[in-house]
mmCIF file of all heavy atoms in Angstrom:
data_model
loop_
_atom_site.group_PDB
_atom_site.id
_atom_site.type_symbol
_atom_site.label_atom_id
_atom_site.label_comp_id
_atom_site.label_asym_id
_atom_site.label_seq_id
_atom_site.Cartn_x
_atom_site.Cartn_y
_atom_site.Cartn_z
ATOM 1 N N ARG X 542 48.005 -57.183 110.404
ATOM 2 C CA ARG X 542 48.067 -55.933 111.030
ATOM 3 C C ARG X 542 49.020 -55.865 112.175
ATOM 4 O O ARG X 542 49.774 -54.901 112.378
ATOM 5 C CB ARG X 542 46.754 -55.420 111.410
ATOM 6 C CG ARG X 542 46.361 -54.030 111.141
ATOM 7 C CD ARG X 542 44.869 -53.662 111.435
ATOM 8 N NE ARG X 542 43.846 -53.946 110.354
ATOM 9 C CZ ARG X 542 44.027 -53.550 109.088
ATOM 10 N NH1 ARG X 542 45.041 -52.761 108.705
ATOM 11 N NH2 ARG X 542 43.061 -53.748 108.185
ATOM 12 N N THR X 606 35.019 -56.820 108.310
ATOM 13 C CA THR X 606 35.757 -55.641 107.751
ATOM 14 C C THR X 606 36.645 -54.966 108.610
ATOM 15 O O THR X 606 37.231 -53.856 108.427
ATOM 16 C CB THR X 606 34.747 -54.701 106.980
ATOM 17 O OG1 THR X 606 33.691 -54.505 107.852
ATOM 18 C CG2 THR X 606 34.356 -55.380 105.543
ATOM 19 N N GLY X 607 36.659 -55.468 109.975
ATOM 20 C CA GLY X 607 37.669 -54.858 110.911
ATOM 21 C C GLY X 607 37.327 -53.460 111.345
ATOM 22 O O GLY X 607 36.219 -52.908 111.167
ATOM 23 N N SER X 608 38.348 -52.729 111.763
ATOM 24 C CA SER X 608 38.125 -51.327 112.187
ATOM 25 C C SER X 608 39.189 -50.557 111.492
ATOM 26 O O SER X 608 40.026 -51.006 110.737
ATOM 27 C CB SER X 608 38.153 -51.346 113.759
ATOM 28 O OG SER X 608 39.306 -51.990 114.225
ATOM 29 N N ARG X 609 39.168 -49.244 111.881
ATOM 30 C CA ARG X 609 40.013 -48.332 111.278
ATOM 31 C C ARG X 609 40.399 -47.273 112.346
ATOM 32 O O ARG X 609 39.605 -46.883 113.155
ATOM 33 C CB ARG X 609 39.181 -47.595 110.060
ATOM 34 C CG ARG X 609 39.962 -46.487 109.410
ATOM 35 C CD ARG X 609 39.342 -46.326 108.055
ATOM 36 N NE ARG X 609 39.348 -47.409 107.261
ATOM 37 C CZ ARG X 609 40.366 -47.708 106.389
ATOM 38 N NH1 ARG X 609 41.359 -46.866 106.406
ATOM 39 N NH2 ARG X 609 40.269 -48.865 105.736
ATOM 40 N N ALA X 610 41.650 -46.822 112.339
ATOM 41 C CA ALA X 610 42.117 -45.863 113.276
ATOM 42 C C ALA X 610 41.476 -44.444 112.810
ATOM 43 O O ALA X 610 41.330 -44.202 111.722
ATOM 44 C CB ALA X 610 43.606 -45.762 113.138
ATOM 45 N N GLN X 611 41.209 -43.692 113.837
ATOM 46 C CA GLN X 611 40.503 -42.537 113.682
ATOM 47 C C GLN X 611 41.571 -41.246 113.686
ATOM 48 O O GLN X 611 42.190 -41.173 114.642
ATOM 49 C CB GLN X 611 39.422 -42.266 114.657
ATOM 50 C CG GLN X 611 38.355 -43.360 114.669
ATOM 51 C CD GLN X 611 37.669 -43.432 113.403
ATOM 52 O OE1 GLN X 611 36.930 -42.569 112.968
ATOM 53 N NE2 GLN X 611 37.720 -44.672 112.734
ATOM 54 N N LEU X 612 41.277 -40.347 112.745
ATOM 55 C CA LEU X 612 42.092 -39.178 112.836
ATOM 56 C C LEU X 612 41.069 -38.028 113.411
ATOM 57 O O LEU X 612 39.952 -37.950 113.126
ATOM 58 C CB LEU X 612 42.309 -38.660 111.364
ATOM 59 C CG LEU X 612 43.537 -37.814 111.095
ATOM 60 C CD1 LEU X 612 44.765 -38.441 111.413
ATOM 61 C CD2 LEU X 612 43.615 -37.490 109.547
ATOM 62 N N ARG X 613 41.619 -37.456 114.483
ATOM 63 C CA ARG X 613 40.856 -36.473 115.238
ATOM 64 C C ARG X 613 41.128 -35.069 114.609
ATOM 65 O O ARG X 613 42.291 -34.693 114.287
ATOM 66 C CB ARG X 613 41.295 -36.496 116.754
ATOM 67 C CG ARG X 613 40.438 -35.567 117.594
ATOM 68 C CD ARG X 613 39.292 -36.338 118.367
ATOM 69 N NE ARG X 613 39.373 -37.652 118.539
ATOM 70 C CZ ARG X 613 39.738 -38.150 119.777
ATOM 71 N NH1 ARG X 613 39.937 -37.142 120.797
ATOM 72 N NH2 ARG X 613 39.710 -39.398 120.107
ATOM 73 N N LEU X 625 48.759 -41.914 110.481
ATOM 74 C CA LEU X 625 48.265 -42.959 111.379
ATOM 75 C C LEU X 625 49.196 -44.218 111.156
ATOM 76 O O LEU X 625 50.065 -44.246 110.259
ATOM 77 C CB LEU X 625 46.898 -43.354 110.850
ATOM 78 C CG LEU X 625 45.786 -42.128 110.904
ATOM 79 C CD1 LEU X 625 44.602 -42.672 110.065
ATOM 80 C CD2 LEU X 625 45.382 -42.004 112.297
ATOM 81 N N LEU X 626 48.944 -45.179 112.065
ATOM 82 C CA LEU X 626 49.626 -46.456 111.768
ATOM 83 C C LEU X 626 48.441 -47.462 111.843
ATOM 84 O O LEU X 626 48.081 -47.914 113.008
ATOM 85 C CB LEU X 626 50.748 -46.766 112.771
ATOM 86 C CG LEU X 626 51.361 -48.300 112.606
ATOM 87 C CD1 LEU X 626 51.728 -48.312 111.093
ATOM 88 C CD2 LEU X 626 52.510 -48.522 113.653
ATOM 89 N N TRP X 627 48.017 -47.860 110.721
ATOM 90 C CA TRP X 627 46.961 -48.878 110.640
ATOM 91 C C TRP X 627 47.096 -49.883 109.628
ATOM 92 O O TRP X 627 46.819 -51.024 109.719
ATOM 93 C CB TRP X 627 45.549 -48.203 110.648
ATOM 94 C CG TRP X 627 44.392 -49.277 110.940
ATOM 95 C CD1 TRP X 627 43.467 -49.635 110.056
ATOM 96 C CD2 TRP X 627 44.045 -49.713 112.163
ATOM 97 N NE1 TRP X 627 42.669 -50.680 110.701
ATOM 98 C CE2 TRP X 627 43.093 -50.739 111.930
ATOM 99 C CE3 TRP X 627 44.798 -49.719 113.496
ATOM 100 C CZ2 TRP X 627 42.504 -51.437 113.075
ATOM 101 C CZ3 TRP X 627 44.136 -50.512 114.547
ATOM 102 C CH2 TRP X 627 43.127 -51.304 114.279
ATOM 103 N N THR X 628 47.325 -49.334 108.397
ATOM 104 C CA THR X 628 47.430 -50.294 107.153
ATOM 105 C C THR X 628 48.903 -50.452 106.827
ATOM 106 O O THR X 628 49.910 -49.800 107.265
ATOM 107 C CB THR X 628 46.844 -49.749 106.036
ATOM 108 O OG1 THR X 628 47.417 -48.519 105.654
ATOM 109 C CG2 THR X 628 45.317 -49.323 106.289
ATOM 110 N N GLY X 651 47.169 -45.293 124.134
ATOM 111 C CA GLY X 651 46.623 -46.719 124.285
ATOM 112 C C GLY X 651 47.543 -47.763 123.506
ATOM 113 O O GLY X 651 48.714 -47.574 123.334
ATOM 114 N N MET X 652 46.909 -48.798 123.085
ATOM 115 C CA MET X 652 47.708 -49.820 122.636
ATOM 116 C C MET X 652 48.385 -49.557 121.328
ATOM 117 O O MET X 652 49.460 -49.876 121.181
ATOM 118 C CB MET X 652 46.632 -51.041 122.297
ATOM 119 C CG MET X 652 47.272 -52.349 122.030
ATOM 120 S SD MET X 652 48.199 -52.890 123.522
ATOM 121 C CE MET X 652 49.339 -54.136 122.572
ATOM 122 N N ILE X 653 47.808 -48.876 120.379
ATOM 123 C CA ILE X 653 48.409 -48.610 119.119
ATOM 124 C C ILE X 653 49.500 -47.622 119.347
ATOM 125 O O ILE X 653 50.550 -47.712 118.672
ATOM 126 C CB ILE X 653 47.411 -48.012 118.146
ATOM 127 C CG1 ILE X 653 46.218 -49.019 117.913
ATOM 128 C CG2 ILE X 653 48.106 -47.784 116.718
ATOM 129 C CD1 ILE X 653 46.605 -50.356 117.357
ATOM 130 N N ALA X 654 49.252 -46.667 120.216
ATOM 131 C CA ALA X 654 50.341 -45.709 120.675
ATOM 132 C C ALA X 654 51.627 -46.339 121.080
ATOM 133 O O ALA X 654 52.810 -46.122 120.769
ATOM 134 C CB ALA X 654 49.883 -44.591 121.612
ATOM 135 N N ARG X 673 46.617 -38.041 127.781
ATOM 136 C CA ARG X 673 45.685 -37.213 128.426
ATOM 137 C C ARG X 673 45.596 -37.651 129.860
ATOM 138 O O ARG X 673 45.245 -36.804 130.839
ATOM 139 C CB ARG X 673 44.369 -37.236 127.777
ATOM 140 C CG ARG X 673 44.105 -36.120 126.589
ATOM 141 C CD ARG X 673 42.899 -36.393 125.761
ATOM 142 N NE ARG X 673 43.003 -37.649 125.279
ATOM 143 C CZ ARG X 673 41.796 -38.257 124.588
ATOM 144 N NH1 ARG X 673 40.823 -37.672 124.675
ATOM 145 N NH2 ARG X 673 42.047 -39.449 124.076
ATOM 146 N N ARG X 680 43.386 -47.837 129.845
ATOM 147 C CA ARG X 680 42.235 -48.824 129.772
ATOM 148 C C ARG X 680 42.549 -50.257 130.070
ATOM 149 O O ARG X 680 41.668 -51.024 130.172
ATOM 150 C CB ARG X 680 41.465 -48.684 128.438
ATOM 151 C CG ARG X 680 40.471 -47.292 128.614
ATOM 152 C CD ARG X 680 39.437 -47.400 127.620
ATOM 153 N NE ARG X 680 39.492 -45.996 126.949
ATOM 154 C CZ ARG X 680 39.474 -45.939 125.647
ATOM 155 N NH1 ARG X 680 39.364 -46.908 124.801
ATOM 156 N NH2 ARG X 680 39.590 -44.702 125.168
ATOM 157 N N VAL X 735 49.179 -40.186 114.910
ATOM 158 C CA VAL X 735 47.955 -40.078 115.643
ATOM 159 C C VAL X 735 47.439 -41.389 116.036
ATOM 160 O O VAL X 735 47.176 -42.358 115.136
ATOM 161 C CB VAL X 735 46.777 -39.195 114.889
ATOM 162 C CG1 VAL X 735 45.531 -39.188 115.629
ATOM 163 C CG2 VAL X 735 47.356 -37.877 114.386
ATOM 164 N N ALA X 736 47.277 -41.699 117.273
ATOM 165 C CA ALA X 736 46.882 -43.024 117.795
ATOM 166 C C ALA X 736 45.852 -42.936 118.913
ATOM 167 O O ALA X 736 46.103 -43.195 119.990
ATOM 168 C CB ALA X 736 48.041 -43.866 118.187
ATOM 169 N N LEU X 737 44.645 -42.403 118.475
ATOM 170 C CA LEU X 737 43.668 -42.044 119.551
ATOM 171 C C LEU X 737 42.520 -43.091 119.651
ATOM 172 O O LEU X 737 41.596 -43.005 120.509
ATOM 173 C CB LEU X 737 43.117 -40.716 119.104
ATOM 174 C CG LEU X 737 44.014 -39.545 119.298
ATOM 175 C CD1 LEU X 737 43.352 -38.309 118.684
ATOM 176 C CD2 LEU X 737 44.250 -39.454 120.822
ATOM 177 N N GLY X 738 42.467 -44.077 118.818
ATOM 178 C CA GLY X 738 41.274 -45.037 118.895
ATOM 179 C C GLY X 738 40.835 -45.459 117.607
ATOM 180 O O GLY X 738 41.145 -44.899 116.471
ATOM 181 N N VAL X 739 39.984 -46.505 117.612
ATOM 182 C CA VAL X 739 39.570 -47.143 116.283
ATOM 183 C C VAL X 739 38.111 -47.205 116.259
ATOM 184 O O VAL X 739 37.531 -47.109 117.342
ATOM 185 C CB VAL X 739 40.271 -48.500 116.159
ATOM 186 C CG1 VAL X 739 41.695 -48.382 116.095
ATOM 187 C CG2 VAL X 739 39.686 -49.498 117.267
ATOM 188 N N ALA X 740 37.540 -47.356 115.235
ATOM 189 C CA ALA X 740 36.064 -47.513 115.031
ATOM 190 C C ALA X 740 35.787 -48.501 113.979
ATOM 191 O O ALA X 740 36.517 -48.629 112.944
ATOM 192 C CB ALA X 740 35.431 -46.186 114.641
ATOM 193 N N PRO X 741 34.870 -49.385 114.224
ATOM 194 C CA PRO X 741 34.572 -50.430 113.149
ATOM 195 C C PRO X 741 34.292 -49.838 111.835
ATOM 196 O O PRO X 741 33.520 -48.793 111.747
ATOM 197 C CB PRO X 741 33.256 -51.183 113.851
ATOM 198 C CG PRO X 741 33.321 -50.714 115.218
ATOM 199 C CD PRO X 741 33.907 -49.483 115.365
ATOM 200 N N ASN X 742 34.680 -50.615 110.714
ATOM 201 C CA ASN X 742 34.318 -50.282 109.407
ATOM 202 C C ASN X 742 32.857 -50.622 109.137
ATOM 203 O O ASN X 742 32.689 -51.777 108.590
ATOM 204 C CB ASN X 742 35.209 -50.981 108.425
ATOM 205 C CG ASN X 742 36.608 -50.312 108.421
ATOM 206 O OD1 ASN X 742 36.696 -49.081 108.497
ATOM 207 N ND2 ASN X 742 37.573 -51.249 108.218
ATOM 208 N N LEU X 743 31.929 -49.782 109.404
ATOM 209 C CA LEU X 743 30.516 -50.062 109.134
ATOM 210 C C LEU X 743 29.898 -49.217 108.059
ATOM 211 O O LEU X 743 28.768 -49.452 107.631
ATOM 212 C CB LEU X 743 29.683 -50.003 110.536
ATOM 213 C CG LEU X 743 30.044 -50.974 111.397
ATOM 214 C CD1 LEU X 743 29.257 -50.743 112.765
ATOM 215 C CD2 LEU X 743 29.558 -52.525 111.000
ATOM 216 N N GLN X 755 27.434 -50.195 118.453
ATOM 217 C CA GLN X 755 28.798 -49.862 118.224
ATOM 218 C C GLN X 755 29.363 -50.646 117.166
ATOM 219 O O GLN X 755 29.973 -50.229 116.337
ATOM 220 C CB GLN X 755 29.587 -50.185 119.487
ATOM 221 C CG GLN X 755 29.437 -49.311 120.599
ATOM 222 C CD GLN X 755 30.270 -50.078 121.857
ATOM 223 O OE1 GLN X 755 29.712 -50.982 122.448
ATOM 224 N NE2 GLN X 755 31.428 -49.551 122.190
ATOM 225 N N GLY X 756 28.948 -51.914 117.166
ATOM 226 C CA GLY X 756 29.323 -52.791 115.973
ATOM 227 C C GLY X 756 28.091 -53.634 115.523
ATOM 228 O O GLY X 756 26.926 -53.190 116.049
ATOM 229 N N GLY X 774 35.157 -60.530 114.449
ATOM 230 C CA GLY X 774 36.365 -59.566 114.534
ATOM 231 C C GLY X 774 35.821 -58.255 114.965
ATOM 232 O O GLY X 774 34.957 -57.967 115.707
ATOM 233 N N ASP X 775 36.697 -57.216 114.649
ATOM 234 C CA ASP X 775 36.522 -55.881 115.111
ATOM 235 C C ASP X 775 35.200 -55.198 114.643
ATOM 236 O O ASP X 775 34.899 -54.119 115.379
ATOM 237 C CB ASP X 775 37.629 -54.837 114.477
ATOM 238 C CG ASP X 775 38.949 -55.112 115.461
ATOM 239 O OD1 ASP X 775 38.955 -56.089 116.217
ATOM 240 O OD2 ASP X 775 39.934 -54.315 115.209
ATOM 241 N N VAL X 776 34.481 -55.758 113.764
ATOM 242 C CA VAL X 776 33.010 -55.201 113.442
ATOM 243 C C VAL X 776 31.949 -55.729 114.356
ATOM 244 O O VAL X 776 30.995 -55.173 114.313
ATOM 245 C CB VAL X 776 32.716 -55.415 111.998
ATOM 246 C CG1 VAL X 776 33.170 -54.489 110.997
ATOM 247 C CG2 VAL X 776 32.864 -56.935 111.571
ATOM 248 N N VAL X 789 32.478 -54.005 121.758
ATOM 249 C CA VAL X 789 33.368 -54.444 120.649
ATOM 250 C C VAL X 789 34.727 -54.527 121.323
ATOM 251 O O VAL X 789 35.426 -53.455 121.631
ATOM 252 C CB VAL X 789 33.412 -53.406 119.594
ATOM 253 C CG1 VAL X 789 34.429 -53.775 118.393
ATOM 254 C CG2 VAL X 789 32.080 -53.144 118.843
ATOM 255 N N PRO X 790 35.283 -55.847 121.471
ATOM 256 C CA PRO X 790 36.589 -55.889 122.130
ATOM 257 C C PRO X 790 37.842 -55.299 121.340
ATOM 258 O O PRO X 790 38.749 -54.872 121.843
ATOM 259 C CB PRO X 790 36.804 -57.360 122.526
ATOM 260 C CG PRO X 790 35.419 -58.034 122.001
ATOM 261 C CD PRO X 790 34.644 -57.015 121.109
ATOM 262 N N ALA X 791 37.726 -55.412 119.944
ATOM 263 C CA ALA X 791 38.662 -54.981 119.017
ATOM 264 C C ALA X 791 39.953 -55.644 119.400
ATOM 265 O O ALA X 791 41.007 -54.832 119.579
ATOM 266 C CB ALA X 791 38.729 -53.520 118.913
ATOM 267 N N LEU X 792 40.111 -56.914 119.557
ATOM 268 C CA LEU X 792 41.286 -57.569 119.913
ATOM 269 C C LEU X 792 41.650 -58.700 118.930
ATOM 270 O O LEU X 792 40.722 -59.446 118.368
ATOM 271 C CB LEU X 792 41.244 -58.239 121.340
ATOM 272 C CG LEU X 792 41.247 -57.328 122.498
ATOM 273 C CD1 LEU X 792 40.799 -57.954 123.682
ATOM 274 C CD2 LEU X 792 42.634 -56.682 122.568
#
Side-chain angles (χ1 to χ4, degrees):
Chain X
R542 222 176 269 308
T606 47
S608 49
R609 179 163 295 277
Q611 302 295 300
L612 202 64
R613 183 97 33 102
L625 299 164
L626 175 55
W627 191 253
T628 62
M652 194 59 203
I653 304 298
R673 272 171 301 169
R680 280 200 230 131
V735 181
L737 289 171
V739 300
N742 281 326
L743 290 172
Q755 282 170 287
D775 283 9
V776 274
V789 178
L792 290 169

